Every structure is written in C-alpha cells, then in structure tokens.
Amino acid sequence: MEETHNHHHHHHAHVHEVKSPGGIFILSIALNAAFVAVEAGVGFWQGSLSLLSDAGHNLGDVFSLALVLAAFRLAAVRASSRFTYGLRKSTVLISLLNAIILLVAVGAIILESVHKFAEPAPVNGVAVSWTAFVGIIINGATALLLMRGQKGDINVRGAFLHMAADTLVSVGVVVSGLVITFTGWTLVDPAVSLAIAAVILVSTWQLLAESLRLSLDGTPEGIEPERVRAAMEACPHVSGVHHLHIWAMSTTANALTAHVVIDSLDSMEQAKAAVKAALAAEGIAHSTLEMETEDCHCADLGLRYGD
C-alpha cells in the first residue's frame, strides 16, 4: 500500500545540561553532619525533645543532601541501549524519596511531642538556646550556598527550602530555650516540636506533590500545555497541533512529543525551526515532532476513528 503520510521525526538536542554543584553539596553535608552530632549530643544530655527532634530532622536533611548529590551523579550517566535516556529520571525518584523521608520524620516528631506533653521533663534552657543558635548559623549558611541553584531544579529547591525552614525552626528553638530559662515552663519544648513538624510539613508538601506528578509523567510545574500548543500553532506555516504530550525526563529537562500540521511539505524545515525555537522559550529542551499536512492529518483522523 502506498504511504499517504509524509512524517518527519526530529529529536532536538538538550540545551540545558545538568550541572552538579558537587562542591557546594559536599560542604553542606559536612557542616550539617557535624551540627547533627553536636545537637543530638546536647539534646540527649539535657533531655530536650525540641533539640532531638530538630537533630533528627537535620539528619534527614543530611541524607537528603547526599541523595541529591547522588542524583546529580546518576543524571550524568551516559545513555545506553537499556537506558536510552540515561539515568536522568533518577532525579525525580530521589526528590520523591526525599519528600517521603521528611513526612516520616514529621510523624515521628508529632508522636514524641504528644508523649512529652503527657510526661514533661526538665530542660536546660540555656543549653538549648546556645545549641540552636549554632543551628541558625549552620542552616542559614547552607541555605545561602544553595540559593543560587534552587530556581532551576526541584531537588536543589527542595534542599534550599528545607535549610531555610530549618533556620526558622532553630530560631524557634532559641525562643523556647529562653522561655524555659526565664519562666521554667517546660511544656514549651514539645510545643516548639509541634511547630517544627508543621514547618516541615508545609515546606515538604509542595515537593511531594510535584515529585508525584513528575513520577507519573505529569506536566512539569510552570509549563501550561495550552500555552505551549498556542505558541506552536502561532509559528509560521503551522495550522494545528495534536497528540501533544509533555513530561519531565529529569528534574531539569523536559520533553515533548506532538504531531504538527503544516500548510505544505515545502515549508517543513522552516516550520520545524520555528516550533523548536518556541518550545525552547517554553523550557522544553527535547522534542520529537511529527510533521504532516492537513490532508495527511484528516486521513489519519478518519483511519483512527474508523477502527
């Protein structure tokens, strides 16, 4: 049978390569791991739940930072016959794992806080305040280190948000230590722990939702399919777009497949170049485009719905 469709497949190269801020993450991991050891030690010594819960969360952040660093390493693995996109998708799975770890940490903090309300224990407010003050410096410095890269990657953004939240949490722990010192009201310790849990939950929820969406090949945040379609259809010689699919290849690279209807096969290259430029402007670096004329499009629709 004679082929009536004249299709062209084009694989557009990535314009955004994954760059690993490895040195920043290694330094951040070292700083936070050292602080976790100090904070946990003081927390056990003074019996402070707020310090122990914050130390547990900071330990989770150390693992999260390590996982993000591993994600960058995996994203750099070259494509193979078995993994034709390489291991870029691991960055999405790691962001999801990080979100789940933080939710588990929230649950543990809430359970311990409830127990502490039932059985309050004396706490050295001065020790708590000084230790948390060190946390403000460590977490704040880490957040500043991650600030530059957090706009372009969900994993880096998640790490930045957690460090920024931890800085605020440490401020709360300092306040609780001062309250205990001057009032002796030890119930402020589990109260601050619940506040810590709330801060972590709020900062984690968006990360969890976006990670789940990307894991299910949903449209990445910040990309509107109808806006992308409109941008493509506004290109010269393009009369329509259908079979449009957009998903994330990784936390930094987005992909698209679509059928593009053009006015003439003679204008295919011009239309293709214009569509690629429009997609790049929308943050889509990898596209597979099937170019077809209006006659081919209509025949394709008739065959598809006639089956």
Side-chain angles (χ1 to χ4, degrees):
M1 180 180 296
E2 182 180 357
E3 178 62 62
T4 59
H5 294 68
N6 192 339
H7 292 161
H8 175 77
H9 294 272
H10 174 75
H11 294 274
H12 181 43
H14 291 280
V15 295
H16 298 292
E17 294 297 331
V18 177
K19 295 182 179 179
S20 170
I24 292 177
F25 272 86
I26 291 173
L27 177 59
S28 299
I29 290 169
L31 287 173
N32 282 272
F35 177 63
V36 166
V38 173
E39 189 174 34
V42 176
F44 278 116
W45 176 39
Q46 297 296 332
S48 169
L49 179 61
S50 61
L51 278 181
L52 289 174
S53 61
D54 193 40
H57 175 53
N58 282 327
L59 181 61
D61 285 339
V62 171
F63 283 118
S64 296
L65 290 170
L67 285 172
V68 173
L69 183 60
F72 280 114
R73 296 287 187 261
L74 290 172
V77 174
R78 293 182 179 276
S80 66
S81 59
R82 282 192 169 275
F83 298 96
T84 55
Y85 280 133
L87 298 179
R88 291 188 178 96
K89 198 74 171 185
S90 63
T91 58
V92 175
L93 298 178
I94 284 176
S95 68
L96 178 60
L97 178 59
N98 273 331
I100 293 173
I101 290 173
L102 288 170
L103 288 179
V104 171
V106 169
I109 291 172
I110 292 175
L111 289 176
E112 287 299 319
S113 298
V114 171
H115 177 72
K116 200 76 169 183
F117 271 116
E119 299 179 12
V123 177
N124 187 330
V126 175
V128 170
S129 295
W130 275 108
T131 305
F133 179 74
V134 175
I136 294 175
I137 297 174
I138 298 296
N139 292 324
T142 304
L144 288 175
L145 288 172
L146 297 173
M147 182 180 295
R148 178 176 296 181
Q150 57 95 16
K151 294 182 179 180
D153 183 86
I154 183 178
N155 273 315
V156 180
R157 183 164 77 250
F160 167 77
L161 289 175
H162 295 155
M163 291 297 104
D166 286 349
T167 303
L168 296 178
V169 166
S170 294
V171 172
V173 175
V174 169
V175 172
S176 73
L178 293 175
V179 170
I180 292 172
T181 299
F182 291 104
T183 68
W185 187 43
T186 57
L187 287 180
V188 72
D189 188 50
V192 167
S193 294
L194 288 177
I196 290 173
V199 170
I200 300 170
L201 183 61
V202 170
S203 64
T204 302
W205 190 254
Q206 184 177 2
L207 176 64
L208 176 65
E210 187 171 356
S211 298
L212 280 173
R213 182 170 65 253
L214 296 184
S215 298
L216 296 173
D217 285 337
T219 305
E221 184 178 4
I223 294 181
E224 296 294 334
E226 290 308 312
R227 187 181 68 202
V228 172
R229 185 192 302 274
M232 296 173 70
E233 292 179 342
C235 293
H237 306 290
V238 175
S239 59
V241 175
H242 60 108
H243 290 324
L244 178 68
H245 302 281
I246 307 171
W247 73 97
M249 296 172 60
S250 72
T251 56
T252 57
N254 301 316
L256 171 147
T257 61
H259 287 207
V260 181
V261 183
I262 56 177
D263 54 13
S264 170
L265 294 180
D266 294 334
S267 59
M268 180 184 299
E269 292 303 320
Q270 184 179 352
K272 181 176 63 179
V275 170
K276 287 190 294 180
L279 292 176
E282 293 292 332
I284 299 173
H286 182 102
S287 61
T288 303
L289 305 175
E290 188 164 333
M291 316 297 287
E292 58 193 28
T293 63
E294 186 66 34
D295 291 340
C296 293
H297 173 49
C298 292
D300 182 48
L301 288 177
L303 178 62
R304 185 171 68 251
Y305 290 116
D307 285 348

